[in-house]
Amino acid sequence: MSITESVAVPVEQGAPQIDYYEDTTQPGVTAPEGAYPDDWTIVEETVAIKSLLSTDGIRFIFSSFVNNFAGFGVVAVTFIAMMGAGVAEESGLLGSLIRKLVGAAPRWALSFILILVGVLSSVASDAGYLILIPLAAAAFASVGRHPLAGLASGFAGVAAIFMVNVSLTPTDAMITEIANEAISLAGGQPITIVANYYFMVAMSLILALVAALVTEKIVEPRLGTWDPSEGSAGHVDAAEISPEADRRGSRFALIGFGIMVAVVALATFPPGAPLRDPETGNIIGNTPFMDSLLFIIMLLFLISGVCYGVGAGTMKGSGDVIKAITKTFSGLGGMVLMLLMISQFIAFFNWTNLPRVLAGSLAELLEQANIGAVPLLLGFIVVIVLLDFIMPGALPKWAIFAPIFVPLFMRLGVAPQTLLAAYRVADSPVNALTPLMVYLPFIASIAARYQKKAGIGTVVALMLPYSLAIFVAGTVVFLVWFLLGIPLGPGYLPVVG
């Protein structure tokens, strides 16, 4: 079985890249050089399903096994990020920050604040998964609330509301460029990166509120009262540190944090600074600064954690810092084994071309359906949601669907920015459920700290209400927005003309 499709591909690569995804649900989170191109073009390709039991398939299984895991970027990303987070946790800094956050936030607002921060973290998505989700679980535990409810809240904000944000992200630039290539096929005017900005801001707040209500009304009541004896978390808690030591440690941490911010600022803001784009001088976009965000965040946590430990007396020397990092890494052993298996499954699954053939087939069915704009938009949203289980990345699906549906909807009088908004609604809710979410093992290991029997099934069961609620709420808001003709961004109406 095969399918011939029009697909957006990077000009300099000449072929679509479907094995790295910017929303970190697929391998290769650290994308190869040139993975985020500025220029895309539309080409026609024939894609056939390949069998793993064929000679080529068996050869691929045996010859790619090591490379599949070696190129699975999430492993390196996890270890790098957890260096800083582990030191900050073991020194007592995270516990101190959590207590201050909880003390300043009303109980009813804690879920909403954590979820909204998760939404904002999609600018540096790896940090959201690796730092915010454990932080959210610990924040709930610190006030006697069930930590799995906090974990689920953080996960919902980071993963299930990924495609909208209050700020613009590199993903927005890429999907806009792909949309413009598709618009050129129909002779239309290109759109800008802010084409969905009003819609994105509103959806960020609305969906964060919806997810917070799910936490308060559904997830946390179902979990019941948390028994701390069920877990195995054993880091230094701020409650074990005297108020005087905590204040001194916080002062030291603030000084260390300020110095690191100053260093990063000097490497970023002056003209010709090393973290600016060497050709354009840009800071935001496909730039060294954006590529360095995770490393910068790790350093901020590492330096602040060490400074807090020195000030509070929880760390006496370099041996304590090394011990904290070693303890953190040792707790990731089970997760690494699961990631080994997941990396092979994803690589083998992608090699068969099943995701692309299925996506192309569903696109053809929708294109041939003789229905109006609203039912077709609803069908588009449903298809994207279903495909997200097997093809979680935002770019690969949009590269396949945009060349087909942007011209089709333009003929129906529906503006390209409207289809892009529908895609934002559909792309993210399933991120928290799909078995191809590479951070699921890590999140399950965090859950096991607080409930020893927790596993991947526990996490998926927790996230199901969030995904359903976010999908329904997002779809309803989108349809109302479209039917009322509210501008999606500065100067961008939902319809053509």
Side-chain angles (χ1 to χ4, degrees):
M1 179 179 177
S2 65
I3 187 170
T4 300
E5 60 186 8
S6 296
V7 61
V9 301
V11 169
E12 63 267 38
Q13 294 180 12
Q17 299 294 309
I18 63 170
D19 57 349
Y20 62 88
Y21 298 138
E22 70 288 342
D23 58 2
T24 67
T25 55
Q26 282 282 49
V29 176
T30 305
E33 184 178 354
Y36 303 119
D38 295 323
D39 298 320
W40 297 70
T41 189
I42 307 297
V43 300
E44 192 171 89
E45 288 191 342
T46 298
V47 181
I49 292 178
K50 298 184 289 186
S51 171
L52 281 171
L53 297 180
S54 65
T55 301
D56 288 341
I58 294 172
R59 182 182 298 119
F60 178 78
I61 291 172
F62 278 84
S63 63
S64 69
F65 194 91
V66 174
N67 290 335
N68 291 340
F69 189 56
F72 202 52
V74 67
V75 179
V77 165
T78 300
F79 275 91
I80 294 299
M82 291 308 294
M83 282 179 62
V87 171
E89 183 178 20
E90 290 300 317
S91 70
L93 173 62
L94 284 189
S96 177
L97 290 176
I98 289 166
R99 291 173 68 85
K100 290 179 174 65
L101 169 66
V102 171
R107 177 184 173 89
W108 63 267
L110 183 58
S111 299
F112 176 76
I113 291 171
L114 290 171
I115 292 167
L116 186 59
V117 172
V119 174
L120 299 176
S121 75
S122 65
V123 174
S125 54
D126 298 307
Y129 286 103
L130 298 167
I131 296 171
L132 178 69
I133 294 174
L135 186 86
F140 268 58
S142 69
V143 291
R145 299 177 65 176
H146 206 297
L148 294 192
L151 178 144
S153 297
F155 194 13
V158 174
I161 317 178
F162 176 81
M163 280 295 286
V164 295
N165 205 317
V166 173
S167 64
L168 298 171
T169 69
T171 302
D172 296 316
M174 289 183 282
I175 63 175
T176 300
E177 182 58 33
I178 293 173
N180 285 334
E181 289 298 326
I183 292 169
S184 68
L185 296 176
Q189 294 296 316
I191 61 176
T192 69
I193 194 173
V194 296
N196 284 165
Y197 187 67
Y198 298 158
F199 181 75
M200 287 169 57
V201 173
M203 288 292 283
S204 297
L205 299 174
I206 292 170
L207 294 183
L209 180 59
V210 168
L213 289 173
V214 170
T215 299
E216 302 289 338
K217 303 298 183 182
I218 300 176
V219 173
E220 194 167 12
R222 281 172 50 187
L223 287 169
T225 304
W226 175 52
D227 179 5
S229 66
E230 295 179 353
S232 58
H235 57 83
V236 177
D237 188 80
E240 301 170 6
I241 302 172
S242 68
E244 295 78 11
D246 179 54
R247 282 194 294 271
R248 189 166 184 265
S250 297
R251 225 172 21 249
F252 277 46
L254 187 60
I255 293 171
F257 181 84
I259 292 173
M260 274 305 305
V261 169
V263 170
V264 173
L266 288 174
T268 303
F269 293 108
L275 295 186
R276 285 179 175 268
D277 186 283
E279 296 180 1
T280 65
N282 291 339
I283 296 174
I284 305 300
N286 181 23
T287 65
F289 173 75
M290 296 302 294
D291 291 339
S292 305
L293 268 180
L294 185 66
F295 179 65
I296 291 170
I297 292 170
M298 183 275 290
L299 284 179
L300 289 172
F301 273 91
L302 179 66
I303 300 301
S304 300
V306 170
C307 290
Y308 180 91
V310 171
T314 57
M315 288 186 166
K316 306 297 184 182
S318 59
D320 289 331
V321 177
I322 295 172
K323 182 179 177 181
I325 296 174
T326 303
K327 180 179 176 181
T328 301
F329 285 177
S330 66
L332 300 176
M335 183 203 70
V336 171
L337 177 60
M338 284 190 281
L339 289 177
L340 172 63
M341 298 298 102
I342 290 174
S343 67
Q344 305 308 322
F345 172 77
I346 292 176
F348 298 159
F349 189 50
N350 284 337
W351 185 86
T352 65
N353 285 331
L354 273 170
R356 289 191 63 192
V357 172
L358 182 58
S361 301
L362 290 174
E364 283 188 358
L365 287 176
L366 277 179
E367 185 182 19
Q368 294 167 6
N370 187 22
I371 54 179
V374 172
L376 191 57
L377 281 168
L378 281 173
F380 176 82
I381 290 172
V382 170
V383 166
I384 296 298
V385 167
L386 294 176
L387 280 176
D388 208 39
F389 279 102
I390 62 170
M391 203 176 189
L395 277 184
K397 293 192 300 295
W398 185 237
I400 293 171
F401 277 78
I404 298 171
F405 286 102
V406 168
L408 174 61
F409 275 96
M410 289 177 68
R411 291 196 296 269
L412 294 174
V414 178
Q417 57 267 20
T418 301
L419 187 67
L420 184 55
Y423 186 73
R424 293 183 187 278
V425 168
D427 178 69
S428 298
V430 175
N431 284 348
L433 300 178
T434 173
L436 299 184
M437 161 56 70
V438 296
Y439 283 116
L440 267 181
F442 171 73
I443 296 167
S445 70
I446 298 299
R449 292 186 184 180
Y450 302 98
Q451 188 171 299
K452 292 178 182 178
K453 295 182 179 179
I456 289 178
T458 306
V459 175
V460 172
L462 281 174
M463 300 312 300
L464 185 58
Y466 291 99
S467 293
L468 289 173
I470 289 169
F471 167 66
V472 172
T475 302
V476 170
V477 171
F478 168 75
L479 290 176
V480 170
W481 202 292
F482 173 70
L483 294 173
L484 292 180
I486 303 172
L488 292 160
Y492 289 96
L493 295 172
V495 294
V496 176

